[in-house]
Amino acid sequence: VLMDFSGFPLRWDQESHWALVVAVHLLKAVPLVGEALYALVVGGAQVSNVTLLRLYTWHIFALPFIAFFIMLYHFWRIRKDGGISGVEKTGTFISRDALMLTEAKFFLIISVLLILLSIGFDPYLGISAEEPMIIDSVNAPWIFLWIQFLLRYMSPVLAGVYIPAGVLAFWIILPYIDSRHQAIGQWAPAARRRYWRPFILSLAVILILSVAERWFV
């Protein structure tokens, strides 16, 4: 989410500029720390080239650095908890070498596809944010479209702060609520339906709201 938030304004066209203006003003609605967050992100009284430089620094250096150490912890926990190569129900196991080879194949395939897409399609860039503003409407990045939909019908603090924070907190704590060791290595096992069904439902609601905001509102 943070990588998407910091990367979208780097286009610095009118659409991304005004989406950024809306987003940083939502930061002010965060209780207690809103003004401090706004100053940290914007770097002044209003969005400017200073803001762009800060977002570039976070997107290119700080966030990848943080993500690297989170990934290290993630892989360490996978090994500590017994790995992902075994399927308890069938008793069959994939060797570590076979697992690494499969992951490497998918990595290469996806990398080639992304390179071909970047060669075959020019990136979308609208009118520069430095030009006089002529944009008629502002669309949030795709990952935030559902929040933009909620902002049409709810207060900014509810739609832009409390609901997204609540959804994110729910996703974070869900694995800790579902702490049983039943059906390890199975996709959506029956023993865990009461845990994964709310997760799937929340994703479906977000998808529906995003599609509605993008195509029907």
Side-chain angles (χ1 to χ4, degrees), residues 197-214:
R197 278 178 175 171
F199 175 72
I200 297 298
L201 178 61
S202 64
L203 283 180
V205 170
I206 288 174
L207 178 61
I208 291 171
L209 295 182
S210 299
V211 171
E213 175 63 27
R214 181 64 181 86

Side-chain angles (χ1 to χ4, degrees), residues 27-28 30-38:
L27 291 178
K28 288 186 176 181
V30 178
L32 301 179
V33 297
E35 293 293 338
L37 286 175
Y38 180 87

Side-chain angles (χ1 to χ4, degrees), residues 13-15 17-18 127-136:
D13 56 11
Q14 294 188 9
E15 183 181 19
H17 176 272
W18 282 108
I127 301 173
S128 171
E130 306 296 335
E131 300 293 331
M133 292 297 172
I134 60 173
I135 190 170
D136 296 325

Side-chain angles (χ1 to χ4, degrees), residues 70-108:
I70 293 176
M71 290 170 64
L72 286 181
Y73 172 76
H74 172 69
F75 294 135
W76 172 75
R77 279 304 305 262
I78 288 177
R79 296 303 306 157
K80 180 178 182 295
D81 293 341
I84 61 172
S85 61
V87 180
E88 190 178 69
K89 184 176 181 180
T90 62
T92 59
F93 290 87
I94 305 170
S95 69
R96 187 184 305 176
D97 293 340
L99 182 62
M100 291 291 292
L101 181 60
T102 302
E103 291 180 347
K105 288 179 180 178
F106 275 96
F107 172 79
L108 290 175

Side-chain angles (χ1 to χ4, degrees), residues 129-176:
E130 306 296 335
E131 300 293 331
M133 292 297 172
I134 60 173
I135 190 170
D136 296 325
S137 61
V138 176
N139 287 316
W142 64 271
I143 200 171
F144 299 118
L145 280 175
W146 66 283
I147 299 177
Q148 182 172 303
F149 180 90
L150 294 177
L151 286 170
R152 296 180 183 274
Y153 307 102
M154 300 180 182
S155 67
V157 67
L158 180 62
V161 179
Y162 289 130
I163 292 179
V167 172
L168 185 60
F170 170 71
W171 289 350
I172 291 174
I173 67 175
L174 188 60
Y176 298 95

Side-chain angles (χ1 to χ4, degrees), residues 18-93:
W18 282 108
L20 174 63
V21 170
V22 173
V24 295
H25 276 83
L26 283 177
L27 291 178
K28 288 186 176 181
V30 178
L32 301 179
V33 297
E35 293 293 338
L37 286 175
Y38 180 87
L40 177 65
V41 173
V42 175
Q46 60 185 6
V47 173
S48 65
N49 290 338
V50 175
T51 311
L52 182 64
L53 180 59
R54 289 194 174 199
L55 292 175
Y56 176 83
T57 303
W58 275 99
H59 188 77
I60 300 299
F61 298 105
L63 291 176
F65 185 77
I66 295 171
F68 173 75
F69 285 98
I70 293 176
M71 290 170 64
L72 286 181
Y73 172 76
H74 172 69
F75 294 135
W76 172 75
R77 279 304 305 262
I78 288 177
R79 296 303 306 157
K80 180 178 182 295
D81 293 341
I84 61 172
S85 61
V87 180
E88 190 178 69
K89 184 176 181 180
T90 62
T92 59
F93 290 87

